[in-house]
Amino acid sequence: FWLEGYSALGQALRTGRNVGIMSEAPKLRAAVACAAAAAVVLAASVVASQGLALFLERRRREDDHESGDGCSAPQMPLMVPKEQLAPETFDRPGLELRLIRKAEAVLQRRTGSLLVVLECLQDGHNHCAVLRTMEALGVQHVWLISPPPMESKNTLERQRLAEMAATAKRGRVKRYAAQRSEKAWQVDAEQDEQHLAFAKGAERFLSIRTFDDTAACLEALREAGRDVWVTALEQQAQVLAPGAPWLEDNFPAVLPKRLALVLGSEGLGVSDTFKAAADRLVYLPLSGFAESLNVSVAAALAVQLLLQLYARAFPEEELRLPAEELRSLRADWYAKLARSDDEREQYEALVDAPPVPLDDLRRSDMNRRGR
């Protein structure tokens, strides 16, 4: 009966007859119903197969993510040494070789893969803040182009006014300049002294190189084999964030092993010369009406993110400083930390056989003052 219906259906289709489901021929009605049922079954099987494929693909990605294979989803490891996650050895008064054990912990966490360039910063406070932050994050190399005086712009302006008050011939000008220069002078002076102390403390343990102009810095970066990424606000700058397609689609090859990140002045940003020579323009995504961040804040966020990307991309030993540079820094730091001739002699003897580093870098609680 069904076969006869299919035969009749085929003949009707060849001759152009109308063979709807309400056809009077029972055999045709049966054939049409059977064809409709087959279509439903076929559609259901297609949907089911597609659903199964999607389900299997999702499970595969989840398995890859859990096992660490593949990079379909960004995995941002903590940039914290394993020993610091559950520290056992802390800084404490009376600990034998405490200063150089602390120095050794810092040395082991330093990286030379990322170098930071500060181009023509104008404010001494920002300059000091960036140096302190880079030292704290473990970036060893900072290059400076026309660095500013350590004082803030406000202090420099008040110094100018004080000079004006001393040299002006008109009494009205002298009084105006004197009043402006004395206002909150002491507060600024104290802030400058504190920032200067922080910066000098950071400079003692950073490898800083200074340039008079951008061209000389660019030439030195190329000679050092550094790729140059420039922070910029232009819309063609690529978003520097986990999950960005330009990062994830070609990770970790997109991340150079030797990178220079360039940050510019507070008002104008990085120069057009640096942007034209850059291998990549990058932008920190923001979520407010402010288009940009203070340069010291931008430096902290960008460097922290890049160091996390490096920790994800390369083994820890590849990110550390070369052995020759480590030894050179160790000798320099040990000499700086020695507080007597006897200590200097003792520390010098340990340069090639350093002590075990501390797990944790925080000062002893006994040395902290309450608020």
Side-chain angles (χ1 to χ4, degrees):
F1 184 78
W2 293 100
L3 292 176
E4 290 179 4
Y6 277 122
S7 178
L9 178 60
Q11 183 179 1
L13 292 174
R14 286 193 298 272
T15 59
R17 290 174 53 199
N18 185 2
V19 289
I21 193 66
M22 298 305 295
S23 171
E24 295 181 358
K27 294 180 180 180
L28 285 177
R29 287 200 302 271
V32 170
C34 185
V40 170
V41 172
L42 178 62
S45 65
V46 170
V47 171
S49 63
Q50 290 178 341
L52 179 61
L54 291 173
F55 172 77
L56 292 175
E57 175 65 14
R58 185 175 65 183
R59 285 298 303 272
R60 183 189 67 79
R61 292 182 179 181
E62 291 175 353
D63 291 343
D64 287 347
H65 179 76
E66 292 175 0
S67 64
D69 299 328
C71 54
S72 58
Q75 302 172 47
M76 301 299 289
L78 289 173
M79 264 192 336
V80 180
K82 293 179 181 178
E83 58 272 16
Q84 193 173 358
L85 294 175
E88 296 181 1
T89 55
F90 293 84
D91 184 11
R92 56 180 174 82
L95 181 67
E96 186 178 4
L97 301 175
R98 55 175 292 273
L99 286 179
I100 60 173
R101 289 186 66 184
K102 192 169 186 176
E104 198 60 34
V106 174
L107 279 171
Q108 296 303 321
R109 300 173 192 185
R110 280 289 202 259
T111 183
S113 295
L114 177 61
L115 178 153
V116 172
V117 179
L118 305 179
E119 186 190 29
C120 301
L121 265 61
Q122 300 170 355
D123 191 294
H125 286 189
N126 287 334
H127 175 78
C128 295
V130 175
L131 292 182
R132 184 184 182 188
T133 301
M134 295 306 100
E135 197 283 325
L137 292 178
V139 173
Q140 180 61 32
H141 297 276
V142 180
W143 289 7
L144 310 173
I145 303 173
S146 301
M150 291 296 189
E151 295 85 2
S152 68
K153 290 188 291 184
N154 288 339
T155 294
L156 295 175
E157 175 65 10
R158 290 190 175 94
Q159 290 174 354
R160 184 187 69 83
L161 290 168
E163 184 178 352
M164 181 189 299
T167 59
K169 296 180 179 180
R170 297 179 60 182
R172 183 178 179 182
V173 174
K174 292 177 71 73
R175 287 193 300 273
Y176 167 80
Q179 290 171 0
R180 290 288 304 274
S181 64
E182 288 298 329
K183 185 178 181 181
W185 175 268
Q186 187 62 34
V187 174
D188 258 14
E190 290 174 358
Q191 288 180 348
D192 283 342
E193 185 178 351
Q194 186 180 47
H195 279 277
L196 182 61
F198 287 148
K200 286 185 175 179
E203 283 181 339
R204 293 179 69 201
F205 303 105
L206 289 175
S207 300
I208 295 178
R209 187 172 175 183
T210 303
F211 300 86
D212 293 330
D213 55 62
T214 298
C217 182
L218 265 171
E219 182 179 357
L221 288 172
R222 295 310 185 191
E223 289 177 356
R226 298 273 180 179
D227 279 33
V228 177
W229 289 11
V230 166
T231 56
L233 298 177
E234 284 83 349
Q235 291 181 345
Q236 66 264 31
Q238 294 172 302
V239 174
L240 184 60
W246 70 273
L247 271 174
E248 299 302 330
D249 291 349
N250 194 30
F251 192 86
V254 70
L255 200 63
K257 284 194 173 182
R258 294 176 60 79
L259 175 64
L261 179 70
V262 185
L263 299 109
S265 65
E266 294 84 349
L268 301 175
V270 179
S271 66
D272 291 338
T273 302
F274 242 131
K275 290 177 183 177
D279 298 295
R280 195 179 299 276
L281 301 181
V282 294
Y283 164 72
L284 280 173
L286 302 178
S287 302
F289 288 107
E291 187 180 42
S292 63
L293 297 167
N294 175 277
V295 64
S296 62
V297 176
L301 293 176
V303 168
Q304 177 77 350
L305 174 59
L306 284 170
L307 290 177
Q308 287 179 323
L309 289 171
Y310 271 97
R312 174 186 162 200
F314 302 109
E316 183 179 339
E317 56 271 15
E318 293 185 20
L319 302 178
R320 290 179 178 171
L321 296 172
E324 184 177 348
E325 184 177 3
L326 273 176
R327 189 192 183 284
S328 176
L329 288 174
R330 183 179 292 118
D332 179 54
W333 291 9
Y334 283 14
K336 289 176 179 176
L337 292 171
R339 293 167 295 187
S340 66
D341 291 340
D342 289 342
E343 276 194 351
R344 187 172 292 105
E345 184 177 347
Q346 181 187 20
Y347 292 175
E348 184 178 352
L350 294 171
V351 168
D352 291 316
V356 177
L358 296 177
D359 293 339
D360 194 278
L361 293 170
R362 288 169 289 182
R363 288 183 299 161
S364 169
D365 293 341
M366 297 175 62
N367 294 329
R368 298 190 180 278
R369 292 181 297 176
R371 294 183 62 180

